[in-house]
Amino acid sequence: MTSNDDVSVLKVSSSDIPESERVTRLRDFNCRGEVKAELEIRAGEPIIANLTAHSLPDAHLLLGTLFGAKLVRSRQFVVDDGDDSLVLVFNRSGTIGVTGRGRNLLLGPGDAVLASAEDATTFERFVAGDCFSLRVPRRVLAPIIMDVDDAVMQVIRDRQAEIGVLVDYATSLVREHALATPALRELGAGHLHDLLALVLDPTDDVRESAGRHGAKAARLRKAKFLIVNNCWRHDLSVGSVAQELSVTPRYLQRLFEADGKTFSSFLIEQRLKRAHRMLREPEFVERPVSSIAYDVGFGDLSYFNRSFRRAYGATPSAVRRGAAE
């Protein structure tokens, strides 16, 4: 391992490690350089690894390959370390299986997926190849991507240009030793965050949030973030959000109407999404539906049930049963 102030580099190669020590060294590397996870060895297969991790403030890069083993981030790891980071995994070649949130995904060459450290997840390479990953704290993406949880565990196949720019920029930072000085590190990390946001949400709103254009769009986006992050509050209203933005309630309503929604419909949508996630999470299995409805901001259980069924085509209890099954 090498380090320079607040940046560190970890490298590991199975060709440099005696076979008897490979599992121990790889487990140590994985816990120090990436999200903590257990290394499960596939019986009868040699472990092939050639990995380099670059850690800098609010951004962690991992490049290389791991074959012959499975990475398992169990529920126990999630509970123990409290890590809430998000990681974009880009499969450059070969095939990777990713399991989490009740989904089994297969990433072919050029595919990517966003995973959350708050979920029990497994990663397994079925065909040898290289990958690239970028891990950032949730607080970095939360102000940039609207309801970032919607992007988790969705295969990304249609944003090759955006991914290409992100990967090329990240590898150039490493190749040109641009992370060696504090000023370049801070600038590089900021650029990585913006490029990751464009991969996950390549819309005009995200470009505007990076300063490209649009005061009205910026205000609307800030209003949406305030709602997403505070939708559970029973006192949240168009008036309170408008006051936070230093605009009139009518001006804020017009911003939403121009976007094709009303303030109220957007608020209800976010509360329902929050309830839907809670109903599918094991830690809330003992929580009554009425309690969940209240926790996400609804004061009327009948209205919650009608709105939920209209949005998801199923009752809250049915969604919970489906998640358990």
Side-chain angles (χ1 to χ4, degrees):
M1 181 184 79
T2 61
S3 65
N4 185 339
D5 295 329
D6 51 0
V7 64
S8 64
V9 181
L10 292 171
K11 295 183 179 181
V12 66
S13 175
S14 54
S15 60
D16 299 331
I17 307 172
E19 190 170 348
S20 60
E21 299 177 15
R22 286 179 186 173
V23 174
T24 301
R25 294 277 294 276
L26 284 170
R27 281 176 174 155
D28 179 63
F29 172 88
N30 188 64
C31 286
R32 293 168 66 190
E34 267 298 305
V35 175
K36 291 180 174 59
E38 181 57 51
L39 193 71
E40 291 187 2
I41 310 305
R42 289 209 297 258
E45 291 189 21
I47 298 176
I48 301 172
N50 188 10
L51 299 164
T52 303
H54 298 263
S55 177
L56 57 154
D58 291 342
H60 301 262
L61 300 170
L62 181 68
L63 300 93
T65 190
L66 173 64
F67 185 63
K70 178 166 60 173
L71 292 178
V72 180
R73 181 163 171 81
S74 66
R75 177 64 59 184
Q76 192 60 50
F77 274 115
V78 173
V79 172
D80 288 347
D81 64 23
D83 189 352
D84 69 347
S85 59
L86 297 157
V87 56
L88 179 79
V89 178
F90 171 58
N91 185 36
R92 306 176 84 168
S93 58
T95 308
I96 300 176
V98 184
T99 302
R101 291 199 176 184
R103 304 194 67 194
N104 297 310
L105 307 180
L106 201 62
L107 304 185
D111 292 344
V113 69
L114 184 72
S116 171
E118 292 184 309
D119 299 329
T121 314
T122 64
F123 299 87
E124 184 172 14
R125 179 167 284 284
F126 297 117
V127 178
D130 289 336
C131 71
F132 162 93
S133 71
L134 171 61
R135 179 166 63 94
V136 301
R138 178 179 291 269
R139 60 179 169 73
V140 168
L141 289 179
I144 308 173
I145 303 298
M146 185 62 55
D147 203 357
V148 69
D149 276 301
D150 283 353
V152 173
M153 288 301 291
Q154 303 291 334
V155 178
I156 303 171
R157 291 196 172 103
D158 59 347
R159 298 167 198 166
Q160 297 303 311
E162 291 87 352
I163 292 176
V165 172
L166 170 62
V167 174
D168 287 347
Y169 181 75
T171 53
S172 70
L173 288 178
V174 174
R175 185 176 59 250
E176 304 298 330
H177 305 289
L179 303 177
T181 60
L184 289 178
R185 273 201 300 277
E186 184 176 352
L187 183 64
H191 288 164
L192 289 173
H193 298 159
D194 287 341
L195 291 172
L196 177 56
L198 289 174
V199 169
L200 300 176
D201 186 13
T203 61
D204 286 342
D205 281 352
V206 172
R207 295 186 175 94
E208 287 155 3
S209 72
R212 297 194 178 187
H213 58 284
K216 286 186 177 180
R219 279 201 185 98
L220 177 61
R221 193 158 189 83
K222 185 173 181 180
K224 288 181 176 180
F225 284 128
L226 286 169
I227 295 170
V228 169
N229 293 321
N230 297 277
C231 63
W232 52 270
R233 287 175 45 187
H234 288 255
D235 62 346
L236 192 69
S237 67
V238 65
S240 62
V241 175
Q243 184 177 14
E244 183 72 22
L245 297 176
S246 299
V247 299
T248 66
R250 182 57 193 142
Y251 177 84
L252 182 58
Q253 288 171 332
R254 286 200 296 268
L255 287 181
F256 274 93
E257 290 164 1
D259 193 49
K261 289 187 178 183
T262 65
F263 177 93
S264 296
S265 66
F266 184 81
L267 173 58
I268 294 300
E269 178 184 298
Q270 300 313 308
R271 287 174 171 170
L272 291 173
K273 283 183 178 181
R274 192 180 183 95
H276 189 268
R277 284 197 292 268
M278 291 176 71
L279 288 165
R280 295 181 60 83
E281 288 295 323
E283 55 261 46
F284 298 109
V285 69
E286 300 298 331
R287 186 84 60 88
V289 170
S290 58
S291 177
I292 289 177
Y294 184 82
D295 288 346
V296 301
F298 285 91
D300 185 325
L301 182 59
S302 297
Y303 179 63
F304 166 73
N305 286 327
R306 291 195 304 272
S307 300
F308 191 95
R309 185 159 193 163
R310 188 162 51 246
Y312 295 104
T315 65
S317 297
V319 168
R320 171 172 276 173
R321 285 196 302 271
E325 292 168 2

